[in-house]
Amino acid sequence: MRKMLLLLILICSGTSNGEPRPASVDRAEFNAWFEQVSNHGRFGPDDQLGTLNLINAGIRRSAAREVKEGISVSLARTAETGKAADNQSPFGHDMIAVGTLAAEDGLMRGYGADRFDVAFHGFVHSHIDALCHIFHDGKLYNGHSQERVTPHGAEVLSVLNMKDGILTRGVLIDLPAYLDVEYLPDDHVITIQELDRWEADSGTRVRRGDAVLIRTGRWVKRAAEGPWDPMQGAAGVHPRVATWLAARDVALVGS
């Protein structure tokens, strides 16, 4: 899982915190970080969960004990159905049975029904990545060949391995709130030092088995300024943050 994570966070860019632009990372440096945070073989040669293995019964009980208010907070967004700079594959929605027609094909319909179509990878649609999502040097997590992701689906490491659900402590690192801004600018690079300061000032330490959610305020910015292509610039974590997350032994990360 952590090996996959390092690949994903390399897409961020920026200079506002004094860090070099991550796009300048060369292959040798990347490979060094890659090996440093690798979990290949850590949970056995047949493992298909990665660091989700860290969420055991004790972690779940500990997370449940921290509940105070019982409030439900969704991480989902309303489906984006309009094509935009950051949404080249809009969410598709068709009604296949509706109540506005008294009869269809000569038959009375006593129900409504619809169909959804979504290419969910990217920056707009809420989703969680499976361990089969990223290839590196022809390999998936735990050394599986990338050829095991076939036209018929993934033979290993698919999202179906998460079918039992994920229950653990979630840690929201809300950097706009911490920095007293509406949202982070596109050139803001989130560094290890910034995360250390957040931990110290919040009194919350990221720990083994956590789900870490790093908020940049991207949707607030989008509402204020309109859609843009995040691949051309967006606030995000510096690649070195992968080593910080690995040191904390987090189970999964989102943003």
Side-chain angles (χ1 to χ4, degrees):
M1 179 75 91
R2 287 181 292 181
K3 182 165 278 194
M4 300 303 106
L5 170 68
L6 179 56
L7 286 162
L8 292 173
I9 65 175
L10 279 168
I11 62 174
C12 70
S13 63
T15 58
S16 68
N17 282 1
E19 287 282 358
R21 187 177 178 85
S24 66
V25 174
D26 62 27
R27 186 173 182 83
E29 189 171 19
F30 173 85
N31 285 340
W33 288 330
F34 194 90
E35 293 306 317
Q36 182 179 348
V37 303
S38 172
N39 277 310
H40 281 205
R42 178 181 180 185
F43 303 104
D46 299 321
D47 175 57
Q48 298 202 49
L49 287 175
T51 48
L52 290 182
N53 284 290
L54 298 172
I55 305 174
N56 56 28
I59 292 290
R60 295 187 191 98
R61 287 194 299 269
S62 176
R65 284 194 294 269
E66 295 203 20
V67 174
K68 301 295 190 299
E69 301 295 334
I71 298 169
S72 176
V73 180
S74 175
L75 298 183
R77 283 187 51 80
T78 300
E80 295 286 345
T81 58
K83 192 169 185 177
D86 57 355
N87 188 20
Q88 295 302 307
S89 298
F91 197 96
H93 181 216
D94 297 314
M95 296 302 299
I96 57 178
V98 299
T100 54
L101 297 177
E104 187 176 326
D105 298 330
L107 299 174
M108 295 300 294
R109 300 292 183 182
Y111 58 87
D114 51 4
R115 174 176 53 219
F116 295 101
D117 174 21
V118 58
F120 53 82
H121 291 288
F123 300 96
V124 172
H125 307 303
S126 304
H127 68 282
I128 186 168
D129 290 328
L131 286 174
C132 59
H133 181 45
I134 295 295
F135 311 150
H136 179 60
D137 286 343
K139 299 293 184 181
L140 303 170
Y141 165 71
N142 236 13
H144 293 287
S145 169
Q146 70 180 41
E147 294 184 2
R148 301 200 68 181
V149 178
T150 78
H152 306 290
E155 297 176 343
V156 294
L157 306 173
S158 85
V159 76
L160 296 180
N161 290 297
M162 304 180 200
K163 65 181 183 296
D164 293 332
I166 301 169
L167 193 160
T168 190
R169 186 179 79 146
V171 178
L172 172 63
I173 302 178
D174 189 342
L175 287 174
Y178 176 59
L179 299 173
D180 196 25
V181 295
E182 289 294 313
Y183 49 84
L184 302 183
D186 289 348
D187 64 352
H188 188 105
V189 178
I190 300 166
T191 65
I192 289 174
Q193 293 75 19
E194 191 166 39
L195 295 175
D196 284 339
R197 290 193 298 271
W198 178 89
E199 278 191 325
D201 293 341
S202 69
T204 300
R205 181 173 175 83
V206 173
R207 67 191 186 208
R208 181 184 178 92
D210 281 346
V212 176
L213 307 173
I214 301 175
R215 179 175 179 268
T216 66
R218 173 270 180 94
W219 289 106
V220 176
K221 179 181 187 297
R222 189 181 194 265
E225 301 182 7
W228 81 101
D229 181 1
M231 292 298 289
Q232 301 303 314
V237 292
H238 191 278
R240 289 192 188 92
V241 169
T243 62
W244 187 89
L245 294 164
R248 299 295 194 280
D249 234 355
V250 302
L252 65 162
V253 63
S255 190

